[in-house]
Amino acid sequence: MAEQRSIGAERVEAAAEGAPEGAAGESVRIAAAAPAADHVALHWAAHPRGLAASRFHFVWLRANCRCAECLHPHTWERTIDSYALDPAIRPAEIAAAEEGRALALRWPDGHETRLAAGWLAARDYDGGARRADMRAVRSWDAAALLADPPEHRWEAVTTGDADLRLMLTDLRERGLAIVRGVPPQDGEVERVARRIAFLRETNFGVGFRVENKPDPNNVAYTALELKAHTDLPNRESPPGIQFLHCHRADAAGGESLLVDGFRAAERLRDEAPEAFARLTRTALPFRFVDADWDIRWRAPTIRLDADGDFEEVRYHDALTAPLDVPFEEMGPLYDALRRFTAILREPQMELRLKLQPGDLIAFQNRRVLHGRGAFDPNAGLRKLEGCYVDCDDAWSRLRVLERSAGG
Ligand code: OGA
Ligand code: ZN
Ligand code: ZN
């Protein structure tokens, strides 16, 4: 039978897998286990979402045995070979145990598996728990965002884990967090970003300074307008989260602009489904060229994940190389890009704010587009400092903070 593990290790593993163990998990009960040809139907006596029954394949149940022989007790990595299991495996015995708190299985070779009812309910791929770790994305237009601004204070996020967790939750769900009161000095943006994860270095450096420069290799380093865009679309993996911190805002103009690319993509899907489909299947060529670099990648404007949910928006006309789709597709592609652009530029979609010294914005760069108005470099200084981290590291930080908060 399963070797006992310490409560501490169980909790880490439960949190690491996003299980609602706590109160919800403990209240789950199995009334009966009804085996069929290749699976068992569990009839729930009590279920957090009120489900009557859920099915689990036998091969899945065997592959996910939690005992110390099947799952390494320290690394939580599987030590059996899922794909070497008999595809027709079937337990010799299967029953609800511990008053319905667990499912007990005995396999033909005598191996025993015990799975907690709450653990099973949290991974119920038949009943809506699929991708339970993928938090609901809350897309927004300007009015929705301003009704509940994702604002945070520097003192709080740099000293308190609870406030850092709230900031990361805004970044995860809405793709944007605004932090006020960050000392407008060199290196402070990196200190905030390093609270979350290590920094993502690029051809612009570990950190970068956005100001009007004499010999710019990037339009951001001029005083020109920057239309809403995502950074570094010319890379295989554009950075996941961008931080921009305002040090000086004396120049007239230069207001920041933010648009939720996922909301714009939802609108395009509803209003022009053919244009939407075209932008998900047509890779655009992107390129960045300067004296030292020639960095190119091809990717679609809107990328969906395997379930059809939004994964990425990549949009930056200035860095788009000459389009090179087949002749008859060129006209429709320009039409589709114009249609998406029109949505992105609707005033109701755009959050506009003039950053003041001490303001920092952090946003998902593969979702939320950013830009700025032109400014007058002769009428005062404008200076921002920026850096990037990646989403997988940031969401890891969020999960670990939730774990220690007793989630
Ligand atoms: C950038 C950028 C915006 C700004 O550096 O990538 O878009 O407000 N800057 O200057
Ligand atoms: Zn086992
Ligand atoms: Zn940019």
Side-chain angles (χ1 to χ4, degrees):
M1 198 63 206
E3 190 178 280
Q4 287 300 307
R5 299 174 198 282
S6 77
I7 295 296
E10 288 274 5
R11 284 181 60 85
V12 167
E13 195 234 357
E17 295 199 4
E21 294 295 350
E26 276 148 29
S27 68
V28 183
R29 294 280 185 286
I30 300 166
D38 63 349
H39 66 271
V40 60
L42 297 186
H43 294 270
W44 303 108
H47 188 281
R49 295 188 309 282
L51 281 185
S54 312
R55 295 167 300 171
F56 294 89
H57 289 91
F58 293 138
V59 73
W60 185 97
L61 291 165
R62 181 65 192 86
N64 291 299
C65 181
R66 318 305 287 163
C67 86
E69 265 174 57
C70 298
L71 195 70
H72 192 284
H74 295 132
T75 69
W76 303 102
E77 289 174 51
R78 179 180 292 113
T79 51
I80 55 168
D81 182 352
S82 297
Y83 312 120
L85 294 171
D86 175 0
I89 193 165
R90 199 185 157 79
E93 282 175 35
I94 181 164
E98 300 168 31
E99 297 171 328
R101 286 188 186 81
L103 179 69
L105 305 113
R106 198 164 53 76
W107 303 99
D109 64 359
H111 192 82
E112 292 186 9
T113 295
R114 174 200 153 275
L115 296 168
W119 187 94
L120 285 162
R123 289 156 186 82
D124 175 3
Y125 56 90
D126 190 31
R130 279 192 59 231
R131 314 195 327 153
D133 188 41
M134 302 287 291
R135 217 167 287 245
V137 168
R138 296 162 62 202
S139 75
W140 48 266
D141 57 17
L145 197 86
L146 288 171
D148 177 21
E151 290 199 23
H152 303 272
R153 292 293 312 174
W154 173 75
E155 300 81 359
V157 301
T158 49
T159 55
D161 282 353
D163 290 277
L164 184 63
R165 186 157 51 88
L166 294 176
M167 177 192 170
L168 282 167
T169 302
D170 275 332
L171 259 175
R172 172 92 191 235
E173 295 181 357
R174 297 195 280 174
L176 172 65
I178 302 168
V179 185
R180 310 271 192 200
V182 184
Q185 286 149 21
D186 289 357
E188 290 295 336
V189 66
E190 294 183 16
R191 280 188 49 206
V192 172
R194 280 186 210 281
R195 280 272 290 152
I196 296 169
F198 42 83
L199 306 184
R200 168 84 185 266
E201 189 168 10
T202 75
N203 54 299
F204 293 106
V206 171
F208 52 87
R209 210 179 253 196
V210 185
E211 58 193 341
N212 190 29
K213 297 180 188 177
D215 187 16
N217 64 348
N218 182 333
V219 180
Y221 305 156
T222 69
L224 296 170
E225 177 190 25
L226 286 173
K227 298 226 189 286
H229 63 279
T230 60
D231 271 13
L232 303 169
N234 57 298
R235 306 197 66 97
E236 178 179 6
S237 176
I241 296 173
Q242 173 164 189
F243 298 78
L244 284 173
H245 175 210
C246 177
H247 293 193
R248 298 286 294 269
D250 309 336
E255 307 81 16
S256 298
L257 160 67
L258 295 150
V259 181
D260 186 353
F262 285 2
R263 171 61 66 91
E266 283 166 16
R267 293 259 323 266
L268 187 69
R269 186 177 56 194
D270 293 345
E271 295 164 19
E274 283 177 22
F276 173 81
R278 185 171 295 278
L279 295 189
T280 63
R281 68 169 185 257
T282 310
L284 265 53
F286 296 99
R287 52 104 177 89
F288 170 86
V289 178
D290 71 3
D292 302 317
W293 295 98
D294 184 340
I295 310 173
R296 304 176 187 228
W297 206 259
R298 308 176 73 95
T301 306
I302 299 168
R303 191 146 71 182
L304 305 178
D305 68 15
D307 288 295
D309 290 328
F310 297 124
E311 188 160 67
E312 174 175 4
V313 170
R314 224 185 258 233
Y315 181 97
H316 199 333
D317 186 37
L319 294 184
T320 306
L323 298 177
D324 62 352
V325 292
F327 186 83
E328 44 302 330
E329 291 186 18
M330 192 60 81
L333 177 58
Y334 269 110
D335 288 345
L337 287 164
R338 263 193 298 271
R339 189 83 193 244
F340 189 43
T341 300
I343 295 172
L344 288 169
R345 298 204 186 146
E346 279 178 23
Q348 83 224 37
M349 296 291 286
E350 298 177 329
L351 178 73
R352 287 186 175 267
L353 70 167
K354 172 134 182 172
L355 298 180
Q356 298 300 330
D359 291 346
L360 178 154
I361 48 177
F363 48 91
Q364 284 189 39
N365 178 55
R366 296 193 301 256
R367 166 177 172 187
V368 173
L369 294 82
H370 66 287
R372 66 150 192 252
F375 61 95
D376 178 357
N378 302 313
L381 270 178
R382 179 181 190 273
K383 183 183 154 197
L384 307 180
E385 229 182 21
C387 62
Y388 305 106
V389 305
D390 270 327
C391 290
D392 49 2
D393 297 318
W395 306 159
S396 161
R397 181 80 160 114
L398 175 57
R399 288 185 202 103
V400 173
L401 287 169
E402 286 173 342
R403 188 197 289 173
S404 52

